[in-house]
């Protein structure tokens, strides 16, 4: 029995409480230091799953494609992220639909702070934190190139800050919707990279990703304005109360603070869109340069073929021998000496 209690500490979310509702009591959860033990356990689970995907799927595909070292590393990165993003999108969509966060957008800010979480919401956040924390030792296990490490560290840090911030500041509902939008765009991007590595002439999925990326950015900006600009200022409990999990809703009564936050959000989204536009322009420029070079090469080959001199025979062939037009051989006969 003691072993079972210890195992439950690693496997199951902790800090469950019974919350009274109109239909009776509902078991929900809040966070605490014991969550670190659960996250540690699922870090090891994520490392094992990472190795399984790498060995039984990605390595077998790499042997067939014969990619270079640079493409091999990028292929492995995108392959792992495609599996993770697809799983997270399906899981996150199931959570937000069953909890009613999409059908009732007001629930994103109503009754804030959302201290008590349903089981599936808390478990989702713990698994997300475990995955992005496991990505740190994977940089060593996967032997990532030194020039790629800063970029991947920035990506991991941003995800950890977003997920941990939403979890600790009781903004889990908004965080779920934002993660769903972000993971959806990232899934199409890494899927397009995988298709490109298998066939460099196939870039159609990049166009799909471009559309999805722009749409998700617009939805993300709209959600920030809706929740921060309109929703949180209307929360009834506006006093600072860390014990109840109300950390900063009182700040949104100040219009100057609210506008400053929205300005920072808009600037961040604008910088993301600028990098996206710069990437698209560079890709289109490379595409058109490649197309023009192919046309010039084809035109040069056609000109060379036309300028090549053609040998013409004065007559026709019969049984492999050239005959003159009157049927005689065009070669002059040798006269016999008398």
């Amino acid at each position: 029995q003691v072993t079972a209690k210890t195992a439950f500490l690693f496997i199951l979310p902790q800090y469950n409480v019974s919350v009274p509702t109109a239909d009776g009591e509902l078991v929900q959860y809040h966070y605490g230091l014991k969550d670190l033990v659960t996250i540690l356990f699922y870090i090891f689970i994520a490392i094992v799953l990472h190795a399984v995907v790498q060995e039984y799927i990605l390595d077998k595909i790499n042997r067939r494609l014969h990619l270079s070292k640079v493409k091999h590393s990028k292929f492995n990165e995108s392959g792992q992220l495609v599996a993770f993003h697809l799983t997270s999108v399906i899981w996150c969509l199931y959570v937000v639909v069953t909890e009613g966060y999409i059908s009732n957008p007001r629930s994103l800010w109503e009754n804030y702070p959302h201290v008590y979480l349903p089981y599936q919401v808390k478990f989702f956040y713990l698994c997300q934190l475990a995955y992005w924390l496991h990505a740190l030792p994977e940089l060593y296990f996967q032997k990532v190139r030194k020039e790629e490490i800063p970029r991947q560290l920035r990506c991991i840090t941003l995800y950890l800050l977003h997920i941990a911030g939403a979890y600790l500041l009781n903004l889990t509902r908004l965080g779920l919707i934002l993660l769903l939008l972000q993971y959806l765009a990232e899934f199409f991007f890494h899927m397009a990279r995988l298709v490109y590595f298998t066939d460099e002439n196939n870039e159609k999925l990049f166009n799909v990703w471009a559309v999805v990326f722009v749409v998700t950015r617009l939805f993300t900006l709209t959600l920030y304005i809706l929740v921060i600009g309109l929703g949180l200022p209307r929360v009834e409990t506006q006093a600072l109360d860390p014990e109840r999990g109300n950390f900063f809703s009182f700040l949104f009564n100040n219009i100057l603070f609210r506008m400053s936050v929205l300005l920072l959000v808009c600037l961040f989204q604008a910088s993301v869109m600028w990098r996206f536009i710069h990437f698209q322009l560079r890709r289109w420029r490379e595409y058109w340069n490649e197309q023009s070079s192919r046309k010039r090469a084809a035109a040069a080959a056609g000109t060379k073929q036309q300028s090549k001199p053609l040998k013409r025979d004065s007559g026709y062939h019969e049984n492999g021998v050239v005959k003159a037009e009157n049927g005689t051989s065009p070669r002059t006969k040798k006269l016999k000496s008398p």
Side-chain angles (χ1 to χ4, degrees):
Q1 189 175 2
V2 176
T3 307
K5 289 181 179 180
T6 306
F8 289 153
L9 180 64
F10 283 89
I11 298 172
L12 298 176
Q14 303 300 309
Y15 303 105
N16 56 317
V17 293
S18 297
V19 179
T21 60
D23 300 330
E25 290 186 349
L26 181 65
V27 177
Q28 293 190 330
Y29 297 81
H30 59 96
Y31 59 80
L33 290 177
K34 291 182 182 179
D35 291 341
L36 297 176
V37 180
T38 310
I39 291 173
L40 179 63
F41 173 77
Y42 284 101
I43 286 175
F44 292 115
I45 297 296
I47 291 174
V48 172
L49 293 176
H50 190 116
V52 169
V53 172
Q54 183 67 44
E55 183 175 354
Y56 291 100
I57 300 177
L58 297 179
D59 286 346
K60 291 183 178 181
I61 299 175
N62 275 319
R63 293 191 195 101
R64 295 181 180 180
L65 296 178
H66 304 289
L67 299 174
S68 62
K69 289 185 178 180
V70 176
K71 289 184 178 180
H72 179 84
S73 176
K74 292 182 178 180
F75 184 88
N76 288 337
E77 177 191 357
S78 292
Q80 293 287 349
L81 289 175
V82 160
F84 169 71
H85 288 316
L86 179 60
T87 304
S88 297
V89 165
I90 296 173
W91 189 3
C92 189
L93 184 62
Y94 173 79
V95 171
V96 297
V97 169
T98 54
E99 294 296 331
Y101 299 153
I102 292 182
S103 59
N104 182 21
R106 288 178 174 270
S107 62
L108 298 179
W109 63 82
E110 281 183 344
N111 301 321
Y112 178 84
H114 307 131
V115 179
Y116 299 111
L117 307 175
Y119 171 82
Q120 59 180 352
V121 174
K122 176 165 183 173
F123 189 60
F124 177 82
Y125 270 93
L126 295 180
C127 291
Q128 291 295 314
L129 290 170
Y131 179 86
W132 290 110
L133 286 172
H134 112 280
L136 294 173
E138 285 295 343
L139 295 177
Y140 173 77
F141 295 148
Q142 294 293 320
K143 297 179 181 179
V144 178
R145 295 182 300 125
K146 290 183 179 180
E147 54 270 22
E148 287 289 325
I149 290 178
R151 178 185 63 84
Q152 295 200 24
L153 281 177
R154 285 196 301 270
C155 179
I156 294 169
T157 304
L158 287 174
Y159 273 114
L160 285 175
L161 287 176
H162 171 83
I163 298 170
Y167 185 65
L168 296 175
L169 297 177
N170 302 312
L171 289 168
T172 50
R173 299 180 183 182
L174 176 63
L176 280 173
I177 305 296
L178 294 178
L179 274 179
L180 176 62
L181 295 172
Q182 177 67 20
Y183 284 165
L184 186 63
E186 288 291 310
F187 167 75
F188 279 102
F189 173 72
H190 290 288
M191 194 67 199
R193 284 180 74 182
L194 290 181
V195 174
Y196 175 76
F197 289 141
T198 56
D199 183 10
E200 293 188 354
N201 295 322
N202 191 349
E203 297 186 1
K204 294 181 180 179
L205 206 55
F206 277 110
N207 298 328
V208 177
W209 163 71
V211 175
V212 174
F213 181 85
V214 174
V215 172
T216 53
R217 290 302 100 191
L218 291 175
F219 271 104
T220 299
L221 186 59
T222 304
L223 273 175
Y224 274 118
I225 296 174
L226 185 64
V227 176
I228 296 176
L230 301 176
L232 287 177
R234 298 180 180 179
V235 174
E236 295 180 359
T237 306
Q238 294 291 346
L240 177 62
D241 190 359
E243 293 183 358
R244 293 188 56 196
N246 194 346
F247 294 102
F248 56 85
S249 65
F250 70 98
L251 293 174
F252 289 99
N253 268 341
N254 188 336
I255 188 171
L256 182 61
F257 177 81
R258 188 162 69 246
M259 295 305 296
S260 300
V261 172
L262 289 176
L263 180 61
L264 288 175
V265 169
C266 292
L267 289 176
F268 177 76
Q269 295 298 323
S271 67
V272 172
M273 285 300 299
W274 169 250
R275 288 197 297 270
F276 167 77
I277 293 171
H278 184 265
F279 170 79
Q280 290 295 326
L281 291 176
R282 184 181 62 186
R283 188 169 70 90
W284 288 338
R285 185 165 55 248
E286 291 174 354
Y287 173 77
W288 288 115
N289 289 338
E290 184 181 357
Q291 291 296 321
S292 60
S293 62
R294 286 181 180 179
K295 289 181 181 179
R296 285 196 299 268
T303 305
K304 186 176 180 181
Q305 186 176 3
Q306 289 179 0
S307 60
K308 186 177 180 181
L310 299 176
K311 293 183 180 180
R312 295 184 179 181
D313 297 321
S314 57
Y316 64 94
H317 293 268
E318 183 178 327
N319 296 328
V321 179
V322 180
K323 298 290 184 179
E325 292 183 0
N326 55 4
T328 61
S329 175
R331 205 166 22 175
T332 57
K333 291 183 181 181
K334 216 181 229 184
L335 297 176
K336 292 183 181 180
S337 58

